[in-house]
């Protein structure tokens, strides 16, 4: 049975979308191209996997509706994004920083219903304060999922926190601070002398944000025009940076050629 195609693009009138997010919803394909371009060999590796299940994540931005005049792309000073740290006991991507989300369940209004349900289960988020704006293109990940990002604006923020065993941390991260060039670099992982992955990363408040989450945040920032110039030639070993955070994050890459990828 052929899987129904997920609609990509805005789900509301353009006037209802914050001006600082409109470049993303106007051209969601540009986000997809940026993710695949920056993901290097791992993006091609992921696309070679046959995805077994559909998943969705909620990319939820808070902040003023109006654009600010004092930052590239009009990014407001109070703009933030909701992120979680996956529990170290999770079977896949354990310990990694992620958007709230997960696999599609029977009966979900996919992808929006899946993203909102998972965000509520992981963070306690109240759906009535979220204005869903758009679906971004679906991305394959090596763990066998096709992930559809659902873009939302947090019009009336609710209290959020760790509410189940799947997450060990829930954070609202200020975007201007996250995008500070001092917090940005690239991480790389080589296997048998070949680059298995090189992509954008952020180190903020003890969180190493890389992979799908870091790549998508970097692509959205680039597409929206929020970027402040940063040193793209600053490339650091992935495992070294994971160790530097002191958490139990699992990269998903084999540590030696005889191991299988874990994530």
């Amino acid at each position: 049975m052929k899987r129904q195609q997920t609609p990509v693009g805005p789900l509301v009138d353009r006037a209802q979308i914050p001006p600082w997010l409109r470049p993303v919803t106007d051209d969601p394909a540009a986000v997809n191209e940026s993710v695949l371009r920056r993901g290097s060999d791992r993006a091609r590796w992921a696309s070679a996997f046959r995805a077994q299940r559909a998943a969705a994540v909620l990319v939820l931005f808070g902040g003023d509706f109006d654009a600010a005049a004092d930052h590239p792309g009009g990014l407001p000073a109070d703009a933030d994004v909701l992120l979680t740290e996956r529990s170290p006991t999770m079977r896949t991507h354990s310990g990694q920083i992620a958007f709230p989300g997960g696999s599609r369940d029977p009966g979900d209004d996919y992808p929006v219903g899946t993203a909102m349900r998972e965000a509520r289960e992981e963070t306690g988020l109240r759906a009535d304060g979220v204005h869903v704006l758009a679906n971004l293109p679906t991305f394959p990940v090596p763990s066998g999922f096709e992930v559809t990002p659902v873009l939302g604006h947090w019009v009336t923020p609710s209290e959020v926190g760790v509410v189940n065993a799947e997450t060990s941390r829930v954070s609202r991260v200020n975007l201007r601070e996250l995008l500070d060039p001092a917090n940005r670099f690239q991480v790389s992982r080589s296997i048998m002398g070949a680059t298995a992955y090189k992509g954008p990363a952020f180190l903020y408040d003890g969180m190493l944000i890389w992979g799908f989450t870091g790549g998508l945040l970097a692509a959205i920032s680039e597409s929206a025009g929020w970027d402040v110039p940063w040193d793209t030639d600053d490339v650091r070993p992935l495992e070294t940076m994971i160790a530097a955070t002191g958490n139990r994050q699992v990269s998903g890459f084999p540590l030696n050629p005889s191991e299988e990828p874990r994530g």
Side-chain angles (χ1 to χ4, degrees):
M1 181 177 175
K2 189 176 181 179
R3 180 177 294 168
Q4 186 175 358
Q5 195 75 13
T6 301
V8 173
L11 301 173
V12 297
D13 290 340
R14 192 172 187 270
Q16 299 179 46
I17 299 171
W20 46 280
L21 284 170
R22 287 176 191 165
V24 179
T25 57
D26 285 348
D27 188 11
V31 177
N32 183 282
E33 291 168 6
S34 181
V35 169
L36 294 178
R37 182 177 70 252
R38 292 184 175 210
S40 187
D41 295 337
R42 197 188 197 206
R44 292 186 287 274
W45 174 42
S47 64
F49 279 72
R50 182 175 181 178
Q52 299 170 351
R53 297 187 66 184
V57 296
L58 180 63
V59 184
L60 182 58
F61 294 114
D64 288 345
F65 182 91
D66 296 327
D70 63 342
H71 195 278
L75 185 69
D78 64 346
D80 60 25
V81 63
L82 182 65
L83 297 176
T84 69
E85 181 177 312
R86 290 172 60 83
S87 169
T89 62
M90 294 295 289
R91 187 175 62 86
T92 59
H93 307 295
S94 60
Q96 292 185 11
I97 307 301
F99 302 110
S103 60
R104 179 181 188 174
D105 277 359
D108 278 351
D109 178 18
Y110 180 82
V112 173
T114 300
M116 294 301 298
R117 173 184 55 76
E118 287 283 345
R120 183 184 69 251
E121 292 175 358
E122 293 178 2
T123 72
L125 174 78
R126 288 187 53 166
D128 57 6
V130 176
H131 190 198
V132 175
L133 304 178
N135 294 330
L136 299 184
T138 297
F139 299 92
V141 295
S143 52
F145 286 92
E146 285 183 343
V147 182
T148 300
V150 175
L151 187 68
H153 182 223
W154 212 351
V155 179
T156 308
S158 56
E159 185 176 347
V160 290
V162 176
V163 294
N164 68 19
E166 293 184 11
T167 57
S168 57
R169 179 177 180 176
V170 174
S171 300
R172 294 183 62 177
V173 177
N174 183 276
L175 284 167
R176 288 195 182 184
E177 294 177 11
L178 184 70
L179 295 170
D180 187 314
N183 297 326
R184 302 195 65 177
F185 49 92
Q186 296 200 74
V187 290
S188 66
R189 181 73 170 91
S190 297
I191 299 177
M192 299 182 69
T195 301
Y197 173 80
K198 185 175 78 171
F202 305 82
L203 185 60
Y204 179 79
D205 194 21
M207 296 181 291
L208 177 66
I209 307 165
W210 67 284
F212 173 78
T213 305
L216 185 54
L217 280 172
I220 289 173
S221 178
E222 179 183 55
S223 299
W226 306 337
D227 272 1
V228 177
W230 57 284
D231 185 4
T232 57
D233 292 328
D234 180 3
V235 183
R236 309 177 189 181
L238 174 59
E239 302 294 343
T240 299
M241 295 310 301
I242 289 176
T245 65
N247 69 12
R248 290 171 286 178
Q249 185 173 151
V250 174
S251 71
F253 290 104
L255 296 179
N256 62 64
S258 64
E259 295 183 46
E260 292 296 325
R262 297 188 294 267

